[in-house]
Amino acid sequence: MQRIAQLAINEEGFVFDPVQGESFTVNQTGLLIIKALKEGKSQEEIIRELVNRFEVDEDKARIDLVDFIEKLRSLNLL
Amino acid sequence: MELFIGVSGINAFDNPGPGVGVAKSLKEDKELKAKIVGLAYDAMEPGAYMDWVVDKAFILPYPSSGYEAFINRLYYVKETFGLDFVFPNLDAELPLLIKYQEELGRAGIKTFLPTAEQFKLRGKDRLEEVAAKIGFDSPRSLVITSYDELYKAVEKLGLPLMVKGVFYKAYKANTLPEAVSHYNKIVAEWGYPVILQQVVYGDEMNVVGAGDGEGNSLGVVGIKKLWITELGKIWTGVTVKNEKMLQGAEKFISELGWKGPFELECIVDTKENKVYLIEINPRFPAWSYFSTGVGVNIAANIVRKAFGMPIREFKDYEAGKLYVRFTDDLITDMERFQKLLVRGES
């Protein structure tokens, strides 16, 4: 199972990793992405959600998503 | 039926013993009807004054003063107050109590301890063997007894490395002269052999648990230390669920048939999915009440097993529960100190 599926998250953006005991805070954008990844949504679906929810165009959303995913990879959460 | 349970290690100051946490755990299991007998080595041990946890305290002679004085004192406690079970929480008590557990049992004082053979496995020179048995990794280490071996070991393991006594003390050496200096310090204080160990990197995580001696678990909880004191004692921690670490702890119980409480100190490298076994403590850690606080009362289960009461099955605990240790103060009469000092009991 991917580690991201095990993350405990709350609505304020507090994220706890039960495997490593680390905690993180994320903003509302990060929270949306983590939740969507936990639900197994595709990158295209997540980009659409970002565009709908925040004032951002598709290109900017894609760049931010890729950037955030890389960050999660560097933390071994993906 | 009330159970009179002796608990040692009730020192609760800068280097806290496990006793107060164990006593609190026992008190929380109301079915045990535990009367806690505090077993102290000094009239200043705070637990002896915490009358909401410790019902009566006795001063014991140090185990190093010999078998007779120590055991006779326990018999005295049994005769004058009551003592159905002894929970030793300090390393120095274990060899003596392990050796004489049958004799104590015949006198009506039960214990729940590892065998002498299991106790030997806690030695730092046996870590690799235990780690291999339970699916953990262990830092490469070499046991040395001379300067010649020291130089060769440093060459083999590389720097930095840890210089350790077999049972106590560990120093990090960044250079060869540092390694030599630490080696000398350990030899002067603790004697031979000395262990040189590769430094491993990761998160410091620990497991507290207990086995029933027949391969079954009496409870296992994993934590990560978030903040530690200068003495390396945990003051803030969080429960974690690292499957590899918890499975290793279960194997420690089933493969080794471990009897009694234990703590496994680990370094967990999540990236490489490696769990390094750093130390085995054949007793409860000072933070053992953490497990009780998240619903896994290991101390109570040990007593339940010892007295043939039904074991509480703990299938799960929640990850992300926080542990915070704090200091407190208590004001009482000088008479209580005088009584402990002069009469040896509260």
Side-chain angles (χ1 to χ4, degrees), chain B residues 120-129 141 143 163-170 195 197 278-281:
Chain B
K120 280 186 202 151
L121 292 173
R122 72 174 279 249
K124 288 177 188 166
D125 52 343
R126 305 280 295 272
L127 273 184
E128 281 184 48
E129 180 189 335
S141 57
V143 180
V163 187
K164 296 181 159 188
V166 179
F167 292 120
Y168 298 103
K169 288 284 158 87
I195 294 159
Q197 195 173 71
I278 302 301
E279 197 157 322
I280 303 165
N281 289 315

Side-chain angles (χ1 to χ4, degrees), chain B residues 112-181:
Chain B
F112 206 79
L113 302 168
T115 62
E117 194 46 48
Q118 288 170 344
F119 182 73
K120 280 186 202 151
L121 292 173
R122 72 174 279 249
K124 288 177 188 166
D125 52 343
R126 305 280 295 272
L127 273 184
E128 281 184 48
E129 180 189 335
V130 177
K133 275 188 183 156
I134 64 175
F136 281 5
D137 290 281
S138 52
R140 280 190 304 141
S141 57
L142 293 165
V143 180
I144 58 163
T145 50
S146 69
Y147 287 124
D148 188 38
E149 285 173 350
L150 170 73
Y151 296 135
K152 281 180 188 157
V154 170
E155 217 164 88
K156 262 191 199 164
L157 297 174
L159 288 160
L161 47 74
M162 300 302 293
V163 187
K164 296 181 159 188
V166 179
F167 292 120
Y168 298 103
K169 288 284 158 87
Y171 302 101
K172 189 175 178 184
N174 292 302
T175 62
L176 181 61
E178 263 180 28
V180 173
S181 157

Side-chain angles (χ1 to χ4, degrees), chain B residues 62-267:
Chain B
Y62 285 108
S64 56
S65 61
Y67 148 81
E68 227 166 277
F70 188 81
I71 299 289
N72 284 340
R73 185 66 177 158
L74 293 181
Y75 290 159
Y76 170 83
V77 175
K78 180 157 183 73
E79 276 165 33
T80 59
F81 186 65
L83 192 61
D84 301 310
F85 188 90
V86 172
F87 243 123
N89 290 310
L90 303 171
D91 287 345
E93 298 165 334
L94 287 165
L96 200 146
L97 285 171
I98 287 170
K99 193 167 174 189
Y100 294 103
Q101 53 184 313
E102 282 180 20
E103 185 184 326
L104 283 169
R106 283 195 294 273
I109 303 174
K110 288 180 190 275
T111 49
F112 206 79
L113 302 168
T115 62
E117 194 46 48
Q118 288 170 344
F119 182 73
K120 280 186 202 151
L121 292 173
R122 72 174 279 249
K124 288 177 188 166
D125 52 343
R126 305 280 295 272
L127 273 184
E128 281 184 48
E129 180 189 335
V130 177
K133 275 188 183 156
I134 64 175
F136 281 5
D137 290 281
S138 52
R140 280 190 304 141
S141 57
L142 293 165
V143 180
I144 58 163
T145 50
S146 69
Y147 287 124
D148 188 38
E149 285 173 350
L150 170 73
Y151 296 135
K152 281 180 188 157
V154 170
E155 217 164 88
K156 262 191 199 164
L157 297 174
L159 288 160
L161 47 74
M162 300 302 293
V163 187
K164 296 181 159 188
V166 179
F167 292 120
Y168 298 103
K169 288 284 158 87
Y171 302 101
K172 189 175 178 184
N174 292 302
T175 62
L176 181 61
E178 263 180 28
V180 173
S181 157
H182 297 327
Y183 170 84
N184 287 332
K185 229 186 304 184
I186 286 168
V187 168
E189 200 175 348
W190 300 103
Y192 298 99
V194 172
I195 294 159
L196 294 195
Q197 195 173 71
Q198 171 203 6
V199 175
V200 288
Y201 298 94
D203 292 306
E204 219 177 297
M205 293 191 197
N206 295 4
V207 188
V208 62
D212 70 353
E214 297 154 14
N216 306 305
S217 168
L218 297 174
V220 162
V221 171
I223 67 137
K224 179 183 174 181
K225 294 177 177 181
L226 294 181
W227 291 92
I228 53 170
T229 66
E230 275 182 16
L231 292 171
K233 304 294 155 185
I234 179 171
W235 102 66
T236 309
V238 65
T239 47
V240 289
K241 280 202 167 158
N242 186 290
E243 281 309 317
K244 190 168 183 185
M245 183 171 75
L246 295 176
Q247 280 165 10
E250 296 286 355
K251 266 193 177 172
F252 183 77
I253 293 167
S254 58
E255 299 281 313
L256 275 66
W258 188 268
K259 188 177 176 191
F262 65 86
E263 178 196 22
L264 303 180
E265 295 188 21
C266 311
I267 300 277

